[in-house]
Amino acid sequence: MSPASRHPPDGTCVVPVDSLLDAAAYAAAHATVAAQTVGVYPAHRKAELRDRLAGAGVQRVVKLGSGSIGNPHDAMYPLHRFVNWVVDDDA
């Protein structure tokens, strides 16, 4: 069983690779809803992988160990369900 095919309790699965191109190939082979976010280290190499990972089905590419509140998760904005949007047209 590949590491990305299971759901660990904390939702995190680390898959070490020898090269970043190996990571893109791994994502192309295993990307599913179980692997919707990929963290990249070192962070300055994210741009090299972004298009390949997106083409493999990955929805978010982040710096390894980071994430941010308010951004899409599972292809939706879950925090929108918990707020009441108020618009002031003069603001």
Side-chain angles (χ1 to χ4, degrees):
M1 169 171 48
S2 80
S5 67
R6 61 185 172 81
H7 290 275
D10 66 356
T12 301
C13 183
V14 176
V15 181
V17 293
D18 292 327
S19 77
L20 289 179
L21 292 179
D22 289 345
Y26 184 91
H30 300 287
T32 66
V33 293
Q36 59 114 252
T37 300
V38 172
V40 177
Y41 178 85
H44 70 273
R45 309 270 318 260
K46 276 183 16 179
E48 294 174 48
L49 292 177
R50 183 179 45 236
D51 292 343
R52 286 187 179 107
L53 292 171
V58 171
Q59 297 172 24
R60 295 179 66 216
V61 181
V62 300
K63 293 184 277 187
L64 187 63
S66 72
S68 56
I69 294 174
N71 284 331
H73 182 78
D74 289 336
M76 63 181 176
Y77 289 91
L79 289 180
H80 288 203
R81 297 177 183 177
F82 303 109
V83 298
N84 180 32
W85 292 97
V86 176
V87 177
D88 179 351
D89 286 340
D90 294 328

